Amino acid sequence: MKNISLFIGEEKKFIHRLLVFLNKRGSEYIQINEHSREDDYLFALDLIFEHEKAVIFSDVGVPAVADPGYRLIDLAHNKGVNIISLPGPSSITTALSVSGFYAEKFYFAGFPPKKEPQRKRFLKKIADKKETVVLMERPYTLEKILEELQFINRRISISFNLGLKDEITLRGKAKELLEKTKDFEKKPFVIVIEGQKNEKTFR
């Protein structure tokens, strides 16, 4: 990371935090996030070609896996850029690992649609899943999603700030979690909904 000359991140505060940690405050950086447009990706690609090495990273989790970045990576591949991984935490598998729910098979639902009735159909679909379900949502929608999930009569695990010092995981039914989190400040989270069949096989 100390040999990188271009840093591509989601939000300025996290980019600055990484640059300070690496003692590279003067390095060039740009933002790629959920608000980025096609012109932003093309500009980022042009910058990549101006630098010998660049890195794209997420605030929390893995780029392009329920996080911004896949479009830029796709464009870079198409232009012959050599893409290599820098292993780090995956919020999906990490949330599963701390949930305590059976997850030899699981269904990754991603983010629910913002508009109705697509959102209702999405929630009905995950309620019908027999597998353990991993669900992502934006930090400011915590209360809304927990209210919506109350019709699913299964245990839920919700993990906040995975990989950070103040990481916390809470478990219970949606109504219980709504009460436990009513005074929580806005922070990234991942929801895991226990599967309908909890068939454990011990080896």
Side-chain angles (χ1 to χ4, degrees):
M1 291 287 281
K2 290 184 177 180
N3 295 324
I4 299 295
S5 56
L6 174 64
F7 292 81
I8 307 169
E10 289 185 68
E11 302 298 338
K12 285 185 179 180
K13 67 176 181 179
F14 288 100
I15 298 172
H16 289 159
R17 189 178 299 172
L18 179 61
L19 294 179
V20 169
F21 176 76
L22 296 173
N23 196 25
K24 293 178 68 68
R25 291 179 177 85
S27 297
E28 187 168 5
Y29 69 84
I30 55 173
Q31 290 177 253
I32 290 292
N33 54 39
E34 62 185 282
H35 305 295
S36 297
R37 299 169 300 184
E38 188 70 7
D39 287 348
D40 299 319
Y41 292 115
L42 295 175
F43 175 71
L45 187 62
D46 287 340
L47 279 181
I48 289 171
F49 279 104
E50 294 178 10
H51 292 260
E52 184 178 350
K53 294 180 180 179
V55 62
I56 180 171
F57 59 97
S58 298
D59 294 348
V60 179
V62 176
V65 182
D67 268 334
Y70 79 91
R71 178 60 179 150
L72 178 58
I73 293 171
D74 183 43
L75 288 170
H77 272 299
N78 292 341
K79 292 295 184 179
V81 176
N82 183 32
I83 309 293
I84 62 171
S85 66
L86 192 62
S90 165
S91 59
I92 299 166
T93 52
T94 303
L96 279 168
S97 71
V98 298
S99 72
F101 299 157
Y102 182 72
E104 283 195 19
K105 293 182 179 180
F106 69 91
Y107 176 77
F108 175 55
F111 286 84
K114 293 181 179 180
K115 296 181 179 180
E116 303 288 354
Q118 295 97 320
R119 191 175 179 93
K120 285 185 177 180
R121 289 199 296 265
F122 174 92
L123 294 173
K124 175 64 167 58
K125 181 179 179 180
I126 65 172
D128 291 339
K129 289 290 180 183
K130 293 183 178 180
E131 304 94 337
T132 293
V133 173
V134 182
L135 173 66
M136 313 289 283
E137 253 294 24
R138 298 154 188 86
Y140 56 84
T141 61
L142 175 61
E143 182 177 354
K144 175 180 173 64
I145 189 64
L146 288 177
E147 287 177 347
E148 292 172 322
L149 291 175
Q150 290 188 48
F151 80 101
I152 301 178
N153 190 30
R154 306 209 299 272
R155 292 189 301 172
I156 293 173
S157 171
I158 181 166
S159 298
F160 298 87
N161 279 354
L162 284 164
L164 302 179
K165 290 182 178 180
D166 59 345
E167 174 184 323
I168 183 173
T169 294
L170 302 173
R171 303 199 320 168
K173 299 291 181 66
K175 187 175 182 179
E176 298 168 344
L177 292 171
L178 191 58
E179 180 65 26
K180 290 179 180 179
T181 60
K182 64 180 181 180
D183 295 323
F184 269 38
E185 64 181 31
K186 186 173 71 173
K187 60 184 74 174
F189 63 86
V190 181
I191 290 176
V192 180
I193 303 171
E194 188 173 28
Q196 293 182 17
K197 292 185 178 180
N198 196 16
E199 300 171 350
K200 300 182 179 65
T201 302
F202 296 97
R203 297 181 177 87

